[in-house]
Amino acid sequence: GGLLLKFHEFKKAPGGMLRLFSLAVLFNWVLGLLSARFIGGLSWEISMLIAGILIVTGPTVIIPALREAKLIRSTTSFLKWEGIVNDPIGVVIAVLVYDYIVYSGTVNGVEFILFAFSKIIIISIAISFSVRSIILWLTKRALIPEFLKVPAIFSSILILFTGTEYLQKGAGLLTITLYGILLGNSDFSSLRDIKRFGESLSVFTVSAVFIILSASLDISVWAQLDWHHFVLIFMFSFVIRPIGIMLSTIKSGIRYRERLLISLYGPRGIVAASVAGAVGTGLYNIGYEEGRVVLPIIFSVIIITVVVHSFWLGRLATRLKLKNPGEHGVLIVGGSPWTLQLAKKLKEMEIPVMLSDTSWHKLALAKNDDIDIHYGHIMNDLDMGEPDISQFEYLIAATEDDHYNTLVCHKLRHQFGSDHVYQIPIHADFFQKSEQMLNQEYCAFGNSQNALYENMLRNYHFGWNFKTLKISEECDLNCLVENKVLKDAIPFILIKTNKRIRLFGKSSINPQIGDIILYYVKESSD
């Protein structure tokens, strides 16, 4: 998760971010502690433990949800930073409280916690900085082969976690989170590969851990919970976090609407579940009967918040106007007269569109027409977090360089999905010479010679333009092509009734009633 956090996001609202890591943590812990003690009827020790665990949200739940919700960038940054950074903070608090309970008869509680907390901070910062420096030093001198970089990073994570946990219990998660943040904001060359491998690994391991923890639960434990516990579960799910976030972010620079959404969206995830499973069982084994209720209470909060909060995120974001305007947008890489025509037509149809190019001269007209533009190398800039492409689901690579188009599609297919990236072929002999190349995978228009880049550019100079045709009756594509309107035209994009798009030629397309065909045609032929 730390690899996803960029310092430039933090700099845009440092006051608000710091509140989420400090005052919000304190308020949520204190409110949770008081609720568990006086509403749940639990002891002070168990109340401190449960409140500490439930400080954390669930980045493994939040990050995929944010991809789907398509919130504005600032709100996404707040939720992402809070979820990832507060995870180790909650774990540290839970572990320190657990150790305090276990050793309460032999140590001074306050001194023990302060000393252990100081050790955790010092160890985590020192080791994460040191290992990050070593890794960068080795890679810059080519002492780690390219094919071993990903295994080396993940091996270092395991060593870091195990080593720092051995030095000080509770320091492991904080260390590797800091390590991820430092590595993600460096010029490490294999970050993209590490992120991809990490995502695949986390999907599998998180699912497996949830299954294992669920299987270890005795369903009869829930029968031992009384109404006090269920009220407490409700408080943790819907009341404590909104109060804590709203109070802690007063005059923080975060807008009221964003504060409200952040406070109402806080699903818990795998960290809360795994920590609860470890400390709850540990306390019960040493004689704390209340240790049995830790896991069912935590699991109940996880289930409720994941299901309910995920259902209302999109609706709440829409109501609070924190969603990106429009969905199913199109990112066009390559500025040319005909791609500008396409961008203007898509904008006219209220489909979000952005035109990207490395030439300011090619983008100047688009800027004058109020089209969103990106000036620079899109692949490099996206690695640095710019531009914001959260509202774009489709990529059309349409520069005058075949190889660059292929590279753009290949590099960005992980973000858009391989079936959402399209490449406009360039030369007439493209398919005869390149059938075995990767770019065949991304090409739109199949073997059609009509929609080649040169033909589109030539057609522009002969007075062609983009127009639309709405399907009003059942008719296949052959029928439409024979239609007088499309007879001499190039069908380019099919826009479904739900605003999803498909480019003709990459796969079979069957237009339905209500769909819109965007086609390229000479003005006089319409």
Side-chain angles (χ1 to χ4, degrees):
L3 290 172
L4 303 176
L5 303 182
K6 301 298 181 182
F7 289 142
H8 69 82
E9 297 174 329
F10 184 87
K11 292 175 182 177
K12 290 179 180 178
M17 292 284 193
L18 289 173
R19 293 282 191 94
L20 293 175
F21 311 148
S22 54
L23 283 180
V25 170
L26 179 61
F27 285 164
N28 286 335
W29 188 31
V30 172
L31 290 169
L33 165 63
L34 296 176
S35 299
R37 179 69 185 96
F38 295 110
I39 296 177
L42 303 174
S43 65
W44 284 108
E45 291 85 357
I46 300 297
S47 297
M48 284 193 294
L49 185 67
I50 291 177
I53 294 172
L54 290 176
I55 287 171
V56 308
T57 51
T60 51
V61 179
I62 288 176
I63 291 173
L66 292 177
R67 289 175 182 166
E68 293 297 319
K70 301 188 182 303
L71 307 182
I72 62 174
R73 168 160 287 196
S74 59
T75 309
T76 298
S77 297
F78 285 130
L79 285 169
K80 183 173 66 174
W81 272 83
E82 188 222 1
I84 294 172
V85 174
N86 280 359
D87 253 16
I89 293 175
V91 170
V92 167
I93 291 174
V95 169
L96 292 180
V97 171
Y98 173 78
D99 286 345
Y100 166 69
I101 295 171
V102 172
Y103 302 112
S104 58
T106 59
V107 297
N108 182 298
V110 175
E111 290 181 6
F112 173 83
I113 289 178
L114 289 176
F115 178 70
F117 184 75
S118 301
K119 264 185 82 175
I120 287 173
I121 298 298
I122 293 170
I123 288 173
S124 299
I125 292 175
I127 293 182
S128 59
F129 266 92
S130 301
V131 175
R132 176 255 193 186
S133 300
I134 292 170
I135 289 291
L136 292 181
W137 186 86
L138 291 172
T139 54
K140 286 178 180 178
R141 287 159 179 76
L143 297 177
I144 302 178
E146 189 65 33
F147 73 96
L148 287 180
K149 284 183 179 177
V150 173
I153 291 298
F154 277 88
S155 299
S156 69
I157 290 172
L158 296 175
I159 294 169
L160 271 176
F161 183 84
T162 307
T164 50
E165 280 289 311
Y166 177 78
L167 294 173
Q168 175 59 50
K169 193 172 182 180
L173 191 59
L174 181 59
T175 302
I176 59 173
T177 302
L178 289 174
Y179 181 48
I181 294 173
L182 294 171
L183 208 57
N185 286 277
S186 68
D187 56 353
F188 187 66
S189 59
S190 298
L191 281 178
R192 192 188 298 270
D193 295 331
I194 293 169
K195 289 176 183 177
R196 290 179 184 176
F197 180 74
E199 287 174 0
S200 301
L201 189 65
S202 66
V203 169
F204 177 78
T205 53
V206 168
S207 303
V209 172
F210 261 123
I211 292 170
I212 292 169
L213 287 172
S214 302
S216 68
L217 280 171
D218 185 353
I219 198 70
S220 63
V221 174
W222 266 275
Q224 299 177 19
L225 301 181
D226 59 27
W227 68 270
H228 298 91
H229 298 134
F230 289 111
V231 173
L232 179 63
I233 291 169
F234 177 83
M235 293 289 292
F236 274 117
S237 300
F238 303 110
V239 179
I240 293 172
R241 176 177 169 84
I243 295 174
I245 295 293
M246 294 302 287
L247 288 176
S248 62
T249 54
I250 293 174
K251 295 183 179 180
S252 64
I254 305 177
R255 293 178 297 170
Y256 176 79
R257 289 179 293 145
E258 290 184 300
R259 292 167 57 206
L260 187 58
L261 179 66
I262 295 167
S263 69
L264 292 173
Y265 182 67
R268 275 61 167 190
I270 190 62
V271 171
S274 55
V275 174
V279 299
T281 303
L283 289 176
Y284 179 72
N285 290 338
I286 63 173
Y288 274 83
E289 285 295 325
E290 284 184 327
R292 295 190 66 183
V293 304
V294 173
L295 194 54
I297 289 175
I298 301 294
F299 244 86
S300 298
V301 174
I302 292 171
I303 294 169
I304 291 171
T305 55
V306 167
V307 174
V308 177
H309 290 201
S310 298
F311 269 119
W312 73 31
L313 175 62
R315 296 177 178 85
L316 190 62
T318 302
R319 186 69 61 87
L320 295 173
K321 298 180 180 179
L322 294 174
K323 240 183 174 182
N324 274 314
E327 294 183 76
H328 313 306
V330 181
L331 172 63
I332 303 173
V333 179
S336 64
W338 72 267
T339 57
L340 175 57
Q341 282 183 316
L342 175 60
K344 289 168 66 174
K345 191 64 178 180
L346 291 172
K347 183 178 176 65
E348 180 185 310
M349 299 173 68
E350 298 183 348
I351 295 175
V353 62
M354 176 181 285
L355 199 59
S356 173
D357 202 282
T358 56
S359 168
W360 180 255
H361 173 71
K362 293 180 179 180
L363 296 175
L365 291 176
K367 181 69 173 176
N368 292 337
D369 289 325
D370 202 28
I371 303 292
D372 288 338
I373 64 170
H374 165 256
Y375 171 58
H377 288 281
I378 188 71
M379 292 179 292
N380 294 339
D381 292 348
L382 284 176
D383 284 339
M384 302 303 294
E386 297 291 344
D388 180 10
I389 60 168
S390 58
Q391 62 180 321
F392 303 112
E393 289 190 4
Y394 303 92
L395 167 71
I396 299 176
T399 72
E400 62 274 13
D401 186 334
D402 257 343
H403 298 290
Y404 183 75
N405 291 342
T406 301
L407 185 62
V408 169
C409 290
H410 185 65
K411 290 292 186 181
L412 300 185
R413 66 176 179 175
H414 184 72
Q415 289 179 271
F416 289 91
S418 57
D419 57 337
H420 282 191
V421 295
Y422 299 91
Q423 172 180 351
I424 305 301
I426 306 298
H427 305 294
D429 61 348
F430 178 89
F431 289 99
Q432 283 68 41
K433 292 187 176 180
S434 309
E435 288 182 353
Q436 305 301 320
M437 294 176 63
L438 270 175
N439 43 14
Q440 179 81 13
E441 180 182 354
Y442 311 117
C443 279
F445 310 106
N447 290 317
S448 169
Q449 301 297 320
N450 295 324
L452 296 175
Y453 181 89
E454 288 93 338
N455 288 344
M456 299 292 284
L457 199 57
R458 182 194 63 198
N459 291 339
Y460 166 80
H461 290 293
F462 276 98
W464 287 45
N465 210 335
F466 284 98
K467 296 195 174 184
T468 58
L469 171 67
K470 188 168 185 178
I471 308 300
S472 57
E473 59 183 22
E474 197 69 38
C475 187
D476 62 17
L477 186 57
N478 291 331
C479 170
L480 290 169
V481 172
E482 292 170 3
N483 181 290
K484 182 179 178 181
V485 175
L486 294 183
K487 187 174 182 180
D488 298 316
I490 301 175
F492 200 81
I493 294 176
L494 178 71
I495 302 163
K496 306 292 288 183
T497 52
N498 60 2
K499 295 293 186 180
R500 291 186 178 276
I501 74 168
R502 299 284 299 278
L503 262 70
F504 283 89
K506 187 171 180 180
S507 58
S508 59
I509 294 179
N510 296 311
Q512 304 294 323
I513 295 175
D515 294 348
I516 296 174
I517 292 180
L518 180 65
Y519 61 97
Y520 205 41
V521 67
K522 192 172 183 179
E523 290 281 1
S524 59
S525 68
D526 189 9

Coordinates of all heavy atoms in Angstrom, one line a residue, residues 25 28-29 32-33 45-58 86-98 236 267-281 283 291 293-295 297-299 301-302:
V25 N -7.1 9.8 14.9 CA -6.7 8.5 15.6 C -7.0 8.6 17.1 O -7.6 7.7 17.7 CB -5.2 8.2 15.4 CG1 -4.7 7.1 16.3 CG2 -4.9 7.9 13.9
N28 N -10.9 8.8 17.7 CA -11.6 7.5 17.4 C -11.2 6.5 18.5 O -12.1 5.7 18.9 CB -11.1 6.9 16.0 CG -11.8 7.7 14.9 OD1 -12.9 8.2 15.0 ND2 -11.1 7.7 13.7
W29 N -10.0 6.5 19.0 CA -9.6 5.6 20.0 C -10.3 5.9 21.3 O -10.8 5.0 22.0 CB -8.1 5.7 20.2 CG -7.5 4.6 21.1 CD1 -8.1 3.3 21.3 CD2 -6.4 4.6 22.0 NE1 -7.3 2.6 22.2 CE2 -6.3 3.4 22.7 CE3 -5.4 5.6 22.2 CZ2 -5.3 3.1 23.6 CZ3 -4.4 5.4 23.1 CH2 -4.3 4.1 23.8
G32 N -14.0 5.2 21.0 CA -14.2 3.7 21.0 C -14.0 3.1 22.3 O -14.7 2.2 22.7
L33 N -13.0 3.6 23.0 CA -12.7 3.1 24.4 C -13.9 3.3 25.3 O -14.3 2.4 26.0 CB -11.4 3.8 24.9 CG -11.1 3.7 26.4 CD1 -10.9 2.3 26.8 CD2 -9.9 4.6 26.7
E45 N -9.2 -2.8 29.8 CA -8.1 -3.4 29.0 C -8.7 -3.8 27.7 O -8.1 -3.5 26.6 CB -7.5 -4.5 29.7 CG -6.7 -4.1 31.0 CD -7.6 -4.0 32.2 OE1 -8.8 -4.2 32.1 OE2 -7.0 -3.8 33.3
I46 N -9.8 -4.6 27.7 CA -10.3 -5.1 26.4 C -10.9 -3.9 25.6 O -10.8 -3.9 24.4 CB -11.4 -6.2 26.7 CG1 -10.8 -7.3 27.4 CG2 -12.0 -6.6 25.4 CD1 -9.7 -8.1 26.7
S47 N -11.4 -2.9 26.3 CA -12.0 -1.8 25.6 C -10.9 -1.0 24.8 O -11.1 -0.6 23.7 CB -12.7 -0.8 26.6 OG -13.8 -1.5 27.2
M48 N -9.7 -0.8 25.5 CA -8.6 -0.2 24.9 C -8.1 -1.0 23.6 O -7.8 -0.4 22.6 CB -7.4 0.0 25.8 CG -7.6 1.1 26.9 SD -6.1 1.5 27.7 CE -5.8 0.0 28.7
L49 N -8.1 -2.3 23.8 CA -7.6 -3.2 22.7 C -8.6 -3.1 21.5 O -8.1 -2.9 20.4 CB -7.6 -4.6 23.2 CG -7.0 -5.6 22.3 CD1 -5.5 -5.3 22.0 CD2 -7.2 -7.0 22.8
I50 N -9.9 -3.3 21.7 CA -10.8 -3.2 20.6 C -10.8 -1.9 19.9 O -10.8 -1.8 18.7 CB -12.2 -3.6 21.1 CG1 -12.2 -5.1 21.5 CG2 -13.3 -3.4 20.0 CD1 -13.6 -5.6 22.0
A51 N -10.8 -0.8 20.7 CA -10.8 0.5 20.2 C -9.6 0.8 19.3 O -9.6 1.5 18.3 CB -10.9 1.6 21.3
G52 N -8.4 0.3 19.8 CA -7.2 0.4 19.0 C -7.2 -0.3 17.7 O -6.8 0.2 16.7
I53 N -7.7 -1.5 17.7 CA -7.8 -2.3 16.5 C -8.7 -1.6 15.5 O -8.4 -1.6 14.3 CB -8.3 -3.7 16.8 CG1 -7.3 -4.5 17.6 CG2 -8.6 -4.5 15.5 CD1 -7.8 -5.8 18.1
L54 N -9.8 -1.1 15.9 CA -10.8 -0.5 15.0 C -10.5 0.9 14.6 O -11.4 1.6 13.9 CB -12.2 -0.6 15.6 CG -12.8 -2.1 15.7 CD1 -14.1 -2.1 16.4 CD2 -12.9 -2.6 14.3
I55 N -9.4 1.5 15.0 CA -8.9 2.7 14.4 C -8.7 2.5 12.9 O -8.9 3.4 12.1 CB -7.6 3.2 15.1 CG1 -7.8 3.7 16.5 CG2 -6.9 4.3 14.3 CD1 -6.6 3.9 17.3
V56 N -8.1 1.4 12.6 CA -7.7 1.1 11.2 C -8.9 1.0 10.3 O -10.0 0.6 10.7 CB -6.9 -0.1 11.1 CG1 -5.7 -0.1 12.1 CG2 -7.7 -1.4 11.3
T57 N -8.8 1.4 9.0 CA -9.8 1.0 8.0 C -9.2 -0.1 7.2 O -8.4 -0.9 7.7 CB -10.1 2.3 7.1 OG1 -8.8 2.8 6.6 CG2 -10.8 3.3 7.9
G58 N -9.6 -0.3 6.0 CA -9.1 -1.4 5.2 C -8.7 -1.0 3.8 O -9.5 -1.0 2.9
N86 N -2.8 4.8 8.7 CA -3.4 4.5 10.0 C -3.4 3.0 10.3 O -3.6 2.6 11.5 CB -4.8 5.0 10.1 CG -4.9 6.5 10.4 OD1 -3.8 7.1 10.5 ND2 -6.0 7.1 10.5
D87 N -3.2 2.2 9.3 CA -3.2 0.7 9.5 C -2.1 0.4 10.5 O -2.3 -0.3 11.6 CB -3.0 0.0 8.2 CG -4.2 -0.8 7.8 OD1 -5.3 -0.4 8.3 OD2 -4.1 -1.7 6.9
P88 N -0.8 0.7 10.3 CA 0.2 0.4 11.2 C 0.1 1.1 12.6 O 0.5 0.6 13.6 CB 1.5 0.8 10.5 CG 1.1 1.8 9.5 CD -0.2 1.3 9.0
I89 N -0.5 2.3 12.5 CA -0.7 3.1 13.8 C -1.7 2.3 14.7 O -1.4 2.1 15.9 CB -1.3 4.5 13.5 CG1 -0.2 5.3 12.8 CG2 -1.7 5.2 14.8 CD1 -0.7 6.7 12.4
G90 N -2.8 1.8 14.1 CA -3.7 1.0 14.9 C -3.1 -0.3 15.4 O -3.4 -0.7 16.5
V91 N -2.3 -0.9 14.6 CA -1.6 -2.2 15.0 C -0.7 -1.9 16.1 O -0.6 -2.7 17.1 CB -0.9 -2.8 13.8 CG1 0.0 -4.0 14.3 CG2 -1.9 -3.3 12.7
V92 N 0.1 -0.8 16.0 CA 1.0 -0.5 17.1 C 0.3 -0.3 18.4 O 0.7 -0.8 19.5 CB 1.8 0.8 16.7 CG1 2.6 1.3 18.0 CG2 2.8 0.5 15.6
I93 N -0.8 0.5 18.4 CA -1.6 0.7 19.6 C -2.1 -0.6 20.2 O -2.0 -0.9 21.4 CB -2.8 1.7 19.3 CG1 -2.2 3.1 19.0 CG2 -3.7 1.7 20.5 CD1 -3.3 4.1 18.6
A94 N -2.7 -1.5 19.3 CA -3.2 -2.7 19.7 C -2.2 -3.6 20.3 O -2.4 -4.3 21.4 CB -3.9 -3.5 18.5
V95 N -1.0 -3.7 19.7 CA 0.1 -4.5 20.2 C 0.6 -4.0 21.6 O 0.8 -4.8 22.5 CB 1.2 -4.6 19.2 CG1 2.5 -5.3 19.8 CG2 0.8 -5.4 18.0
L96 N 0.7 -2.7 21.7 CA 1.2 -2.1 22.9 C 0.2 -2.4 24.1 O 0.6 -2.7 25.2 CB 1.5 -0.6 22.8 CG 2.6 -0.2 21.9 CD1 2.8 1.3 21.8 CD2 3.9 -0.8 22.4
V97 N -1.1 -2.2 23.8 CA -2.1 -2.5 24.8 C -2.1 -4.0 25.2 O -2.2 -4.3 26.3 CB -3.5 -2.1 24.3 CG1 -4.6 -2.6 25.2 CG2 -3.6 -0.6 24.1
Y98 N -1.9 -4.8 24.2 CA -1.9 -6.3 24.4 C -0.7 -6.6 25.3 O -0.8 -7.4 26.3 CB -1.8 -7.0 23.1 CG -1.5 -8.5 23.2 CD1 -2.6 -9.4 23.6 CD2 -0.3 -9.1 23.1 CE1 -2.4 -10.7 23.7 CE2 -0.1 -10.4 23.2 CZ -1.1 -11.3 23.5 OH -0.9 -12.6 23.6
F236 N -19.5 1.3 16.5 CA -18.3 1.2 15.8 C -18.5 1.3 14.3 O -17.7 1.9 13.5 CB -17.5 0.0 16.1 CG -16.6 0.1 17.3 CD1 -16.8 -0.7 18.4 CD2 -15.5 1.0 17.3 CE1 -16.0 -0.6 19.6 CE2 -14.7 1.1 18.5 CZ -14.9 0.3 19.6
P267 N -14.7 1.2 5.8 CA -14.7 -0.2 5.9 C -13.4 -0.7 6.6 O -12.3 -0.3 6.3 CB -14.9 -0.7 4.5 CG -14.3 0.4 3.7 CD -14.6 1.6 4.4
R268 N -13.6 -1.7 7.5 CA -12.4 -2.3 8.1 C -12.0 -3.5 7.2 O -12.8 -4.0 6.5 CB -12.7 -2.8 9.5 CG -12.5 -1.7 10.6 CD -13.4 -0.5 10.4 NE -13.4 0.4 11.5 CZ -14.3 1.4 11.7 NH1 -15.2 1.7 10.7 NH2 -14.3 2.1 12.7
G269 N -10.8 -3.9 7.3 CA -10.3 -5.0 6.5 C -9.4 -6.0 7.1 O -9.6 -6.3 8.3
I270 N -8.5 -6.5 6.4 CA -7.7 -7.7 6.8 C -6.8 -7.4 8.0 O -6.6 -8.3 8.8 CB -6.9 -8.2 5.6 CG1 -6.3 -9.6 5.9 CG2 -5.8 -7.2 5.2 CD1 -7.3 -10.7 6.1
V271 N -6.3 -6.2 8.1 CA -5.4 -5.9 9.3 C -6.2 -6.0 10.6 O -5.7 -6.7 11.5 CB -4.8 -4.5 9.1 CG1 -4.0 -4.1 10.4 CG2 -3.8 -4.5 7.9
A272 N -7.4 -5.4 10.6 CA -8.2 -5.5 11.8 C -8.5 -7.0 12.1 O -8.5 -7.4 13.3 CB -9.5 -4.7 11.6
A273 N -8.9 -7.8 11.1 CA -9.2 -9.2 11.3 C -8.1 -10.0 11.8 O -8.2 -10.8 12.8 CB -9.8 -9.8 10.0
S274 N -6.9 -9.8 11.2 CA -5.7 -10.6 11.6 C -5.2 -10.3 13.0 O -4.9 -11.2 13.8 CB -4.6 -10.5 10.5 OG -4.3 -9.1 10.4
V275 N -5.2 -9.0 13.3 CA -4.7 -8.6 14.6 C -5.7 -9.1 15.7 O -5.3 -9.6 16.8 CB -4.6 -7.0 14.7 CG1 -4.2 -6.6 16.1 CG2 -3.4 -6.6 13.8
A276 N -7.0 -8.9 15.4 CA -8.0 -9.4 16.4 C -7.9 -10.9 16.6 O -8.0 -11.4 17.7 CB -9.4 -9.1 15.8
G277 N -7.6 -11.6 15.5 CA -7.5 -13.1 15.7 C -6.3 -13.4 16.5 O -6.4 -14.4 17.4
A278 N -5.2 -12.7 16.4 CA -4.0 -13.0 17.2 C -4.1 -12.6 18.6 O -3.9 -13.4 19.5 CB -2.8 -12.3 16.5
V279 N -4.5 -11.3 18.9 CA -4.6 -10.9 20.3 C -5.8 -11.4 21.1 O -5.7 -11.7 22.3 CB -4.6 -9.3 20.4 CG1 -3.3 -8.8 19.7 CG2 -5.8 -8.7 19.7
G280 N -6.9 -11.6 20.4 CA -8.1 -12.2 21.1 C -7.8 -13.6 21.6 O -8.1 -13.9 22.7
T281 N -7.2 -14.4 20.7 CA -6.9 -15.8 21.1 C -5.8 -15.8 22.2 O -5.9 -16.6 23.1 CB -6.4 -16.6 19.9 OG1 -7.4 -16.5 18.8 CG2 -6.1 -18.0 20.2
L283 N -5.2 -13.5 24.5 CA -5.7 -13.1 25.8 C -6.6 -14.2 26.4 O -6.5 -14.5 27.6 CB -6.6 -11.8 25.6 CG -5.8 -10.5 25.4 CD1 -6.7 -9.4 25.1 CD2 -4.8 -10.2 26.5
G291 N -11.5 -12.1 26.2 CA -10.8 -12.3 24.9 C -11.6 -13.0 23.9 O -11.3 -12.8 22.7
V293 N -14.6 -12.5 23.0 CA -15.6 -11.6 22.3 C -14.8 -10.7 21.3 O -15.5 -10.0 20.5 CB -16.4 -10.8 23.3 CG1 -17.2 -11.8 24.2 CG2 -15.6 -9.8 24.0
V294 N -13.5 -10.6 21.4 CA -12.8 -9.7 20.6 C -13.0 -10.0 19.1 O -13.4 -9.1 18.3 CB -11.3 -9.7 20.9 CG1 -10.5 -8.8 19.9 CG2 -11.0 -9.2 22.3
L295 N -12.7 -11.2 18.7 CA -12.8 -11.6 17.3 C -14.2 -11.5 16.7 O -14.4 -10.9 15.6 CB -12.2 -13.0 17.1 CG -12.0 -13.3 15.6 CD1 -11.1 -12.3 14.9 CD2 -11.3 -14.7 15.5
I297 N -16.7 -9.5 17.7 CA -17.1 -8.1 17.6 C -16.4 -7.4 16.4 O -17.0 -6.7 15.6 CB -16.7 -7.4 18.9 CG1 -17.7 -7.8 20.0 CG2 -16.8 -5.8 18.7 CD1 -17.4 -7.2 21.4
I298 N -15.1 -7.7 16.3 CA -14.3 -7.1 15.2 C -14.8 -7.6 13.8 O -15.0 -6.9 12.9 CB -12.8 -7.5 15.3 CG1 -12.2 -6.9 16.6 CG2 -12.0 -6.9 14.1 CD1 -12.2 -5.4 16.7
F299 N -15.0 -9.0 13.8 CA -15.5 -9.5 12.5 C -16.9 -9.0 12.1 O -17.2 -8.8 11.0 CB -15.6 -11.1 12.6 CG -14.6 -11.7 11.6 CD1 -13.3 -11.9 12.0 CD2 -15.1 -12.1 10.4 CE1 -12.5 -12.5 11.1 CE2 -14.2 -12.7 9.5 CZ -12.9 -13.0 9.8
V301 N -18.1 -6.0 12.8 CA -17.8 -4.6 12.3 C -17.3 -4.7 10.9 O -17.7 -3.9 10.0 CB -16.9 -3.8 13.2 CG1 -16.5 -2.5 12.6 CG2 -17.5 -3.7 14.6
I302 N -16.4 -5.6 10.6 CA -15.8 -5.8 9.3 C -16.9 -6.1 8.3 O -17.0 -5.5 7.2 CB -14.7 -6.9 9.3 CG1 -13.5 -6.4 10.1 CG2 -14.3 -7.2 7.8 CD1 -12.4 -7.5 10.3

